[in-house]
């Protein structure tokens, strides 16, 4: 049963003076992580106009949103570990340049494997962030999450010194993983077979290990746990973290996902499902969403963590506001353990529900960040879902981050959420690389092989997996115009699809500096 989760982001606006009216133009972006889609066949005329894209927002009545600063949720920090670098700006700049992080595997000898390529995290150093002597045998999965979380806290100006002055009983961690410390488990089984029992370190394997270690490191004593829903793990965690804040159980939450499954058993497991690309001679061309020549996804690894915080708490401490979380929705395919419905009805239902909750019409959406894993069934099912919701795809732009970073499973949703936020805040959409012979079913511009400047009106992030039970999708809307008579908004939705359970959807928006003047003005502006 494919499950779906949707959410939305609002970009942080930098204009100081804005006159608000009862109606306004809003820009929206949707980010999806669920089954993959196909890409559009672009005409020569449309190719010539790729540098700048016209927004297609239309005036709508201001949606009703939460006005209580204690229940409004903002993103104040982001951190990551990826195959394209270990800081947010480097990661997104490489995406914009169309750089692939897929290479031949060199972590172990895969020369006899039918699949010899993957997205490996390289040149990773946690020095200064993780005590090497204390965590000598720590699984990479947890090293990645510790590093991503600590750099996210650093980005949010929540240093250890600052944290000591705050109420850490109202702070928590929800970081998910598809497989947890799988390398630790792999080594433990190997040690057992060799009867080397002293080398069995299975306490570093369970999925709750990452959040537990983060709690110990930070002193957070609020909600601390992990969620394992494969590719939807990150989105589930963001959704759950937001609900803890809404309910008053927390004021600050670290949320995201992590995975480090590029190991022999990880490659062989997906290989047995015939899910992976075997384009060993051209690793950088292996992941090709929506292309007719696609032959499977490329396994990857990494971690992404976001700092979620109540607006009241963030404004009191003078935090930098990156985005605002607006709400979420959940749906489930109730169909099959791994395959999505071919018509994409489950994902479509989740997207529609997210749009409704966010107060956004389908016509306002002009950008989709797709799950786009490069699998035969997923890409087309995702395309079907988009067609159901967005009747006019002429102005839509859609890209696939996995064409460059591969599929990081439990970390995929968080990494792509960060990429979507950057798309809105920078105004640049990264390309989908390896677009050579697009599927005819999808009449949407997949931004083939070159970045474009794009004023995001609405962005959707979607994710799905053909052989793993979850997927995730996000959508981000951006402000419609720069006039002093307009209110700027950017929405983001997140979809998670899973084969066997329901998944959460959520929304964010970016705030303007003037919206942070006081709790009274915040309530009014909402």
């Amino acid at each position: 049963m494919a499950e779906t989760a949707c959410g939305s982001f609002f970009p942080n606006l930098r204009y100081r003076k804005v006159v608000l009216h009862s109606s306004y133009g809003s820009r929206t972006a949707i980010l999806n992580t669920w089954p993959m889609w196909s890409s559009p066949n672009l005409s020569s005329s449309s190719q010539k106009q790729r540098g700048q894209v016209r927004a297609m927002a239309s005036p709508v009545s201001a949606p009703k949103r939460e006005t209580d600063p204690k229940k409004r949720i903002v993103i104040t920090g982001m951190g990551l570990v990826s195959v394209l670098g270990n800081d947010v700006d480097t990661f997104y700049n490489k995406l914009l340049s169309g750089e692939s992080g897929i290479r031949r595997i060199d972590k172990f000898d895969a020369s006899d494997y039918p699949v010899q390529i993957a997205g490996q995290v390289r040149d990773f150093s946690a020095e200064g962030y993780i005590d090497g002597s204390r965590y000598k045998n720590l699984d990479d999965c947890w090293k990645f999450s510790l590093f991503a979380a600590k750099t996210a806290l650093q980005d949010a100006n929540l240093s250890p010194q600052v944290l000591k002055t705050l109420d850490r009983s109202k702070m928590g961690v929800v970081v998910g993983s598809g497989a947890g410390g799988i390398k630790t488990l792999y080594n433990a089984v190997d040690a057992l077979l060799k009867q080397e029992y002293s080398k069995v370190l299975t306490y570093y394997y369970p999925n709750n290990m990452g959040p537990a270690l983060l709690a110990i490191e930070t002193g957070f004593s609020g909600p601390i746990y992990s969620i394992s829903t494969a590719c939807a793990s990150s989105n589930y965690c963001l959704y759950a973290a937001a609900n803890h804040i809404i309910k008053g159980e927390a004021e600050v939450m670290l949320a995201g996902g992590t995975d480090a499954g590029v190991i022999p058993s990880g490659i062989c497991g997906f290989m047995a499902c015939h899910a992976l690309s075997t384009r060993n001679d051209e690793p950088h061309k292996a992941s090709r969403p929506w292309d007719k020549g696609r032959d499977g996804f490329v396994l990857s690894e990494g971690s992404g963590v976001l700092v979620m915080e109540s607006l009241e708490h963030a404004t009191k401490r003078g935090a930098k506001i990156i985005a605002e979380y607006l709400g979420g929705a959940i749906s489930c395919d109730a169909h099959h353990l791994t395959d999505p419905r071919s018509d994409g009805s489950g994902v479509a239902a989740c997207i529609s529900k997210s749009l409704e909750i966010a107060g956004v019409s389908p016509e306002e959406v002009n950008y989709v960040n797709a799950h786009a894993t490069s699998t035969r069934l997923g890409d087309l099912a995702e395309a079907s879902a988009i067609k159901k919701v967005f009747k006019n795809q002429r102005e839509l732009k859609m890209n696939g981050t996995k064409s460059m970073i591969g599929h990081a499973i439990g970390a995929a949703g968080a990494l792509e959420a960060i990429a979507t936020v950057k798309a809105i805040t920078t105004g640049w959409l990264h390309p989908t690389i390896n677009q050579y012979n697009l599927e005819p079913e999808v009449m949407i511009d997949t931004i083939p092989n070159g970045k474009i400047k794009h004023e995001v009106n609405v962005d959707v992030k979607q994710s799905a997996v053909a052989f793993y039970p979850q997927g995730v999708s996000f959508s981000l809307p951006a402000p419609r115009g720069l006039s002093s008579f307009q209110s700027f908004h950017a929405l983001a939705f997140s979809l998670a699809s899973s084969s066997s359970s329901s998944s959460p959807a959520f929304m964010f928006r970016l705030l303007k500096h003037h919206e942070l003047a006081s709790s009274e003005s915040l309530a009014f502006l909402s």
Side-chain angles (χ1 to χ4, degrees), residues 207-389:
N207 274 36
N208 65 317
M209 183 57 60
L213 292 176
L214 279 168
I216 294 170
E217 291 280 307
T218 60
F220 289 6
S221 57
I224 308 289
Y225 60 96
S226 179
I227 298 175
S228 182
T229 49
C231 311
S233 297
S234 290
N235 279 19
Y236 271 96
C237 291
L238 290 166
Y239 179 78
N243 284 338
H244 285 302
I245 297 174
I246 292 170
K247 293 177 181 178
E249 299 166 347
E251 293 176 329
V252 176
M253 293 291 296
L254 287 169
T258 185
D259 257 317
V262 181
I263 61 174
S265 62
I267 294 294
C268 291
F270 284 114
M271 217 164 56
C273 297
H274 304 287
L276 301 180
S277 171
T278 58
R279 204 178 296 272
N280 298 322
D281 294 334
E282 297 178 302
H284 58 291
K285 294 183 178 181
S287 184
R288 47 177 66 199
W290 310 304
D291 189 88
K292 286 185 178 181
R294 67 190 185 282
D295 65 336
F297 74 85
V298 178
L299 187 62
S300 185
E301 59 188 2
S303 180
V305 176
L306 295 84
V307 178
M308 304 180 77
E309 192 168 354
S310 74
L311 182 57
E312 180 182 67
H313 190 274
T315 53
K316 280 184 177 179
R317 69 179 187 86
K320 170 191 65 178
I321 306 297
I322 301 173
E324 180 179 7
Y325 174 98
L326 297 181
I330 296 175
S331 72
C332 178
D333 267 16
H335 172 62
H336 186 271
L337 285 177
T338 56
D339 296 341
R341 290 184 181 275
S342 60
D343 63 359
S345 57
V347 179
C350 191
I351 296 175
S352 296
K353 190 182 296 185
S354 295
L355 290 169
E356 180 182 355
I357 292 173
V360 175
S361 66
E363 292 74 23
E364 293 179 89
V365 177
N366 70 345
Y367 167 48
V368 172
N369 181 300
H371 183 52
T373 59
S374 187
T375 58
R376 306 298 299 182
L377 293 177
D379 283 13
L380 296 181
E382 192 172 23
S384 296
I386 295 304
K387 290 179 181 178
K388 286 180 180 297
V389 179

Side-chain angles (χ1 to χ4, degrees), residues 187-197 200:
N187 290 340
V189 172
D190 184 59
L192 285 171
L193 292 175
K194 296 177 180 178
Q195 297 186 349
E196 297 175 342
Y197 307 117
V200 177

Side-chain angles (χ1 to χ4, degrees), residues 166-172 219-223 248-252:
L166 303 174
D167 182 2
R168 284 176 285 180
S169 70
K170 302 286 284 185
M171 300 181 180
F220 289 6
S221 57
E249 299 166 347
E251 293 176 329
V252 176

